[in-house]
Each structure stands twice: as C-alpha cells, then as structure tokens.
Amino acid sequence: MKAGRLKQILLLTDGCSNHGEDPIAVAALARNQGVTVNVIGVLDDRQKEKPQGLEEVESIAEAGGGVSQIVYQKSLSQTVQMVTRQAMTQTIQGVVNKELQEILGEGQSIEELPPATRSEVVEVVEDLGEACELEVLVLVDTSASMQHKLPTVKEALYDLSLSLNARTGSNQFSIYTFPDVKHTIRRVIKWTPELGEINGVFSKLSSGGYTPTGPALKEALYAFTEKPIFRSIQDGEDPYEETGF
Amino acid sequence: MKKQDFKLFPGTYLQGKWNGHQYKVIRKLGAGACGAVYLCHNLQGEKVALKVGKDSSRMMLEVNMLKKFSKVQGVKLGPAFIDVDDWKAPSLQVFPFYVMEYVEGVPLSDFLRGKSKEWIGICTIQLLTDLEHLHKAGFVFGDLKTDNLLMSNSKVRWIDVGGVTAIGRAIKEYTEFYDRGYWGFGSRKAEPSYDLFAVTMIMLEMVQPNKFEKGAHPRRTLAAKLASSNDLKPYHSLIAGVWKGKFQSASEMKQALSYIVMKRAKGTPVSRKQIKAQKHSSDWGELLALSAVAGVFCGFSIFSFWI
C-alpha cells in the first residue's frame, strides 16, 4: 500500500455560526469530496463554562469525518497538532477498514481482528501516517471575540508546522480567515510547506457581529479543491483513489 | 460509534476473548491518555499490571513497542509484556487490554525527598544508561517525563513505552514541558538529542518540582530557571550544553555527567564517597611506604653485594 495524499480543513472558531448555509451540511459535502473537516473551539482562559452554541463544533467535525476539541487557549498548541494527527490516523484507518471489508467481508474492521493480525495492521497504518502527503487548509474565525486569541492561534499554527514537518511525508499549509466582507473568506497565506514567520497575518480586524461559518467552509472547500485537482490532472491520477473516497 | 466510559471495581474478573486468560482487579494504579492501568492478579495469584483502553489501534501500537522493549540486547528497558486481548464488558461493548509486568516502586520525586543531592546525578546517569541501549537499538523514548518513571529498588524504571519512536520519524507523543520544540530548542524529529533535552528538564524538575510555562521568551525563561537553581550548580554547563545541542548521544552526555559526579565527590565535606576517597589515599600511602622500604632494602642488598 502506497502512502497517499490527505486533505484537511482545520477550522478554529469560538462561537456558533449565525449566517448563511448550515456548516454541518457543508462539512458533509467536504467529506464527500475527500476533504476531512476538523474543528477546534477556542475558549478564553478565564471562561468557566462552555458557552452556548459550541455543540456545533462537534457536529461539524462529525459530519466532516474529522476530529473536534473544545480547549482553553493555553492548550491550543498541543491540541491543534493532536487533532490533526488523530484525523490523519482516522482517515487512514477508514481506508484500511474498507480494504479489510473487501477482503474479509462485511463488518470487518481493525478492532475486530485477532490480536496477532491487528498488531501488523496497526503498524501499516502508522507507517502510512508517517509517510503520506498532507495538505491542511487552516480557516480562522477572526470575528471580534476571537481578536485577543489570535496571537495564541498564530503560535499554535507555527507549532503545528513544527510537529508535522518532523514527519517523513511532505506537507502543505495555507491559512484563510473569515468573515471577509467581499469574498466571505480571505487568503492570508498561500500554500507553503512551512508556517515559519506568520507575523502580521491576522492584523486586519473583521467587522464583528456575524459568523458565516457555513459559507466560509464552502469557500475553503473551493479554494482547497482547485489546486489539488489541477495538480492531479497533471499527474494523471485520481485524487481520491488513494484516500479511498 | 463512541464507546462509553467504564470503571473497573476491585474484585471484578476480566476474561480475554481470544486467549481466554482471566484476571482479577485489585485496584487502580493510574490513568493515562488512552486508558487506565489496574493492579491485577492472574490465575496463579501473581501481581500484574493491566491496561484497558478504548482505542484499540493505539493500544496495539503500545503492545508492539512493549514486546520490542521488554528486553533490548539483553537489557530490561520497559516492563515485561505478558498478554494482549479484548474484554467484553457486561454492557457487551468490547475493550482492548494488555497485561504487563507490575513494576513496584515509588515516583522519582518521592524517592528523592530527603536524599542527598548526589542522587540527582546518579538517577540521571541511570536514565542515560537505559537511553543509551534504546538509542543503539534505533529508537528514542519520545515522551520522557517523570510521570513515566518509577524508582524500583533504587533503580530508575520506565513504565510507559507508548511514545517510543523509530529514529528519523516524527515524535508521536510529547508533553510540552519536556518537549524541546515547545521551548524553541529544536525540531520534533526523533533523534537521540530529543531525549537528552527531556533528561535536562527532568533534572530541573528534580530540584524544583513546580512546573512553569515558557512565557514570551522561552529560552530566556529556561536559562533563568537554571541559573536560579543552586542544587544544579555542578551541572549548569552540562545542561546548557545539551540545550545548545552539544551532545549527540546518551553516551556522550553520560560521560560528561559521570565526570562531574566523580569530581564533585572530592569537594563535599563528609560523605561516604569521601571516606572511600580517604581510604584510597591511605592505600596510596601504604603503597608508597612499602615501595620505599623495598627500595631501601634493594639498595642495601646491592650495596652489600658490592661490598
């Protein structure tokens, strides 16, 4: 089995969507297109209770075949890399399970294999996770309540690049923010293998009030699929074949 | 499909679905990121440690590591592996579990309490000796931290090998305080020097158990912490050297550390080591006196021969 290319959208937000189409539906669409959606809900360090509307975080990730976490700012770095890696493993496991079902019949999965066989399969999954190519589109909610969290977000994204670039497989990152008055989302960093110096990225304030998570996700999906599809046509391969979608 | 959380109470019996072995829960030993560890009795009544979790892939990866590192080149590194199986709970849900040697011991911090400061160096040397073997086998420990260590019969033992990673790959598990990436001292690639950094953080923790955060200038924060710790004074340049990437292997760092530990023994006022050292010097005296006598005797015999 060859290590393929995995695509993820990582959504960082702190509230509920209140504008435009349903983000859960868009996430389901993304999953269908071979793009996993992960969501991290960022809490204030002083916040005692989970604010209302953050259940949406879990629902979006679930529909998008990804992983969700609600965390305080101070553990954002570790969470961002953990969520990304977990989602990678999850996707690869999904593909392997599908293959297993084809070989062994319906209802078979890694969990149900006898320990000796399972032991070998998990090593294969681990190897694929280390070697596969990964593309992460980071979508950051920059509405008013997120403003003071943005320095932490910046740090966490740098940390993410540090973690992923220790892998053997190559990485591509890009960063978008929302809302943007004209285009719903705004690209602040185009595809790059490393998120080193990202100073000044979130400098521009967005006009607060509305959080169009759904439309933003959809734009991200467009932005995402444009490049890889173009490239894979050039490569002459089906972009979803390897990830099993 | 999400698995429910579960609790195992003392007296519960667990039977494996595949191998059929049975274990009786005695008490909970601790909980980690992906499961809980219980002290159990096997059918023979021997004490074993049993870990139950939810993520069967992750548990299996741990088992693979455990199998590899129960023994590396004849040296015992992690706890010995005993059994791996699935357990069908009364709720009919299936939970993966594995069984390993029960390492009886105390946390490093408890062990060091009330002990003389030279134990800092000794424990660190022990740790580096184990790392030496692991690195030679082509792996780094990864998530090296005091929580993953026990002192068993005055010897450091690893109790969780879940973070062990093949050299050259990405570190799969880490804890920020011990992670050189967090402090801005390098990458998260699995290299021997990654573990060496964590060793210095364990040394820091041995003298001041309160963890601290990196702040705006991580490297400066660390340097200040080091400068302010008197008990680590003999090791200041060694630790700073590790941070600068001066050491590429556990052997190099161990050698440098051994040198400091030996040298320090001379300076400390009344320690067992010094008594030993004094004994050594008196040995020397004896030898000197003996050779002087022999020399005189020899000279005398030559002299008498010459006569």
Side-chain angles (χ1 to χ4, degrees):
Chain A
M1 217 164 154
K2 191 179 136 226
R5 185 184 307 138
L6 300 187
K7 299 181 194 118
Q8 297 185 354
I9 291 174
L10 174 65
L11 171 65
L12 298 167
T13 181
D14 69 346
C16 189
S17 65
N18 57 15
H19 184 89
E21 56 210 297
D22 182 4
I24 300 167
V26 182
L29 175 69
R31 181 187 197 171
N32 216 262
Q33 297 288 310
V35 178
T36 306
V37 182
N38 298 320
V39 192
I40 296 177
V42 194
L43 298 178
D44 258 314
D45 283 343
R46 279 157 300 174
Q47 228 158 334
K48 284 271 153 60
E49 283 166 45
K50 280 183 188 173
Q52 288 207 323
L54 269 179
E55 309 87 59
E56 192 187 65
V57 161
E58 197 178 332
S59 310
I60 298 174
E62 213 170 78
V67 178
S68 69
Q69 269 305 325
I70 294 172
V71 290
Y72 287 101
Q73 277 187 75
K74 62 172 191 286
S75 32
L76 189 62
S77 289
Q78 198 146 24
T79 308
V80 163
Q81 64 89 26
M82 205 179 67
V83 159
T84 307
R85 302 208 61 156
Q86 249 177 37
M88 282 172 70
T89 312
Q90 203 168 293
T91 309
I92 297 168
Q93 278 174 352
V95 181
V96 171
N97 278 338
K98 215 173 148 193
E99 301 260 330
L100 283 175
Q101 280 171 19
E102 264 167 41
I103 303 165
L104 302 169
E106 280 298 308
Q108 281 294 340
S109 70
I110 301 174
E111 307 203 302
E112 280 146 82
L113 293 172
T117 324
R118 196 189 305 161
S119 150
E120 287 174 38
V121 175
V122 296
E123 288 297 328
V124 173
V125 172
E126 181 86 344
D127 289 352
L128 288 173
E130 172 71 25
C132 71
E133 288 173 42
L134 178 69
E135 288 168 2
V136 185
L137 187 152
V138 186
L139 185 58
V140 187
D141 174 356
T142 53
S143 56
S145 58
M146 277 291 283
Q147 282 304 314
H148 67 283
K149 299 173 189 162
L150 293 178
T152 320
V153 168
K154 219 181 329 185
E155 205 175 291
L157 293 179
Y158 167 71
D159 193 87
L160 174 71
S161 147
L162 189 70
S163 272
L164 292 176
N165 281 321
R167 299 184 317 127
T168 329
S170 64
N171 305 292
Q172 289 286 323
F173 305 94
S174 71
I175 305 178
Y176 285 75
T177 58
F178 77 101
D180 178 74
V181 187
K182 272 191 201 148
H183 307 100
T184 316
I185 61 173
R186 175 209 303 270
R187 186 178 77 189
V188 290
I189 299 260
K190 59 180 183 197
W191 291 103
T192 166
E194 238 169 272
L195 296 175
E197 288 300 303
I198 47 175
N199 292 325
V201 161
F202 304 126
S203 52
K204 201 164 178 209
L205 266 149
S206 308
S207 44
Y210 78 119
T211 311
T213 312
L217 267 178
K218 198 162 194 181
E219 284 300 322
L221 185 59
Y222 291 146
F224 204 110
T225 45
E226 269 161 27
K227 184 199 78 154
I229 282 177
F230 175 66
R231 198 169 77 192
S232 56
I233 287 168
Q234 279 187 324
D235 292 351
E237 59 176 311
D238 177 359
Y240 304 122
E241 188 192 60
E242 282 160 9
T243 50
F245 287 95
Chain B
M1 188 176 57
K2 276 211 167 154
K3 279 184 183 166
Q4 294 297 306
D5 279 325
F6 60 91
K7 235 182 173 174
L8 287 176
F9 295 100
T12 311
Y13 280 92
L14 254 92
Q15 188 164 24
K17 174 179 153 188
W18 304 93
N19 299 335
H21 299 303
Q22 210 178 50
Y23 303 94
K24 183 184 175 190
V25 177
I26 307 298
R27 67 184 164 90
K28 193 172 182 173
L29 291 171
C34 83
V37 183
Y38 294 88
L39 174 64
C40 290
H41 279 161
N42 62 11
L43 268 187
Q44 289 76 43
E46 294 158 342
K47 282 180 183 171
V48 293
L50 184 147
K51 184 167 183 180
V52 201
K54 290 190 221 170
D55 184 340
S56 104
S57 294
R58 200 169 151 182
M59 295 275 290
M60 191 48 93
L61 284 170
E62 289 188 14
V63 167
N64 289 351
M65 278 304 162
L66 208 55
K67 279 182 180 165
K68 249 182 233 163
F69 295 110
S70 305
K71 256 182 183 175
V72 164
Q73 295 155 340
V75 184
K76 213 174 192 181
L77 290 178
F81 166 78
I82 297 172
D83 189 15
V84 54
D85 216 321
D86 292 331
W87 170 61
K88 201 176 208 174
S91 64
L92 296 183
Q93 289 192 80
V94 176
F95 296 99
F97 73 86
Y98 65 82
V99 184
M100 58 195 153
E101 169 197 2
Y102 171 55
V103 179
E104 220 159 349
V106 292
L108 194 58
S109 53
D110 293 0
F111 176 84
L112 289 173
R113 201 165 295 137
K115 290 236 176 7
S116 64
K117 292 300 166 202
E118 58 193 0
W119 274 100
I120 296 168
I122 294 163
C123 290
T124 312
I125 289 178
Q126 288 183 359
L127 199 53
L128 287 169
T129 308
D130 282 356
L131 285 175
E132 225 176 335
H133 291 291
L134 188 69
H135 294 167
K136 275 188 190 137
F139 292 85
V140 302
F141 195 85
D143 199 6
L144 191 58
K145 55 176 173 180
T146 37
D147 285 354
N148 285 340
L149 303 174
L150 271 189
M151 285 306 282
S152 175
N153 301 321
S154 296
K155 162 96 181 68
V156 179
R157 290 284 310 267
W158 297 338
I159 50 166
D160 186 348
V161 295
V164 175
T165 310
I167 289 177
R169 291 195 162 195
I171 292 290
K172 48 178 158 177
E173 262 170 51
Y174 65 85
T175 306
E176 280 180 344
F177 183 76
Y178 307 89
D179 166 51
R180 70 176 181 190
Y182 172 79
W183 293 103
F185 275 109
S187 75
R188 291 205 180 108
K189 242 195 192 334
E191 304 165 332
S193 51
Y194 185 88
D195 282 344
L196 302 187
F197 182 88
V199 170
T200 64
M201 295 310 286
I202 291 175
M203 290 175 85
L204 267 183
E205 210 187 346
M206 284 196 237
V207 298
Q208 42 183 37
N210 298 331
K211 297 214 179 80
F212 46 92
E213 281 172 26
K214 62 178 172 183
H217 305 283
R219 281 160 166 258
R220 254 185 260 170
T221 308
L222 266 191
K225 278 286 169 190
L226 181 60
S228 70
S229 65
N230 263 329
D231 291 334
L232 284 183
K233 214 163 203 163
Y235 313 113
H236 277 189
S237 70
L238 174 89
I239 292 175
V242 173
W243 293 350
K244 278 186 209 135
K246 198 177 144 198
F247 302 100
Q248 289 312 307
S249 74
S251 316
E252 287 170 33
M253 185 176 166
K254 188 175 128 182
Q255 210 177 354
L257 183 60
S258 308
Y259 183 74
I260 297 167
V261 172
M262 302 300 180
K263 195 167 78 178
R264 210 156 77 92
K266 283 183 202 160
T268 39
V270 195
S271 74
R272 214 178 294 165
K273 275 212 166 146
Q274 194 168 9
I275 293 164
K276 224 176 172 182
Q278 275 172 356
K279 210 176 152 213
H280 250 274
S281 59
S282 66
D283 281 353
W284 259 107
E286 257 172 56
L287 207 69
L288 217 73
L290 211 71
S291 41
V293 169
V296 167
F297 185 74
C298 187
F300 183 72
S301 57
I302 290 169
F303 177 72
S304 55
F305 181 76
W306 189 61
I307 287 283

